[in-house]
Amino acid sequence: MKTMLETVRAIEDAGFTASIRTRKFSGEDMPAGCFSIDARRAEDGDLVECCPVGSEGQVKDHVFAYLMTMLKQARQAK
């Protein structure tokens, strides 16, 4: 498992900006203690991928691996 800080740093190290949300895109609050870390292109702010953070405050390994794969693909597509 990765901490929120480790995840944010990995997003930034990959050349993207990171932000943390406590609301769903629909405007509803997420369940208590849950968050989403958004990875966006630094150049234009476009959303590349969202990464859920569970109530334990950590990102599961398979979710982190998927996020890194999506960021790599986004960087290559540019």
Side-chain angles (χ1 to χ4, degrees), residues 10-67:
I11 290 169
E12 291 173 344
D13 288 347
F16 297 88
T17 60
S19 61
I20 298 173
R21 279 187 297 117
T22 59
R23 293 184 185 263
K24 298 177 184 179
F25 288 121
S26 65
E28 300 173 68
D29 286 339
M30 291 186 182
C34 294
F35 306 92
S36 180
I37 301 174
D38 294 345
R40 296 181 178 273
R41 285 193 181 88
E43 305 84 33
D44 56 18
D46 283 351
L47 181 67
V48 176
E49 191 60 53
C50 302
C51 178
V53 179
S55 59
E56 70 282 346
Q58 302 214 344
V59 177
K60 294 182 179 180
D61 289 332
H62 72 280
V63 174
F64 183 82
Y66 177 80
L67 172 67

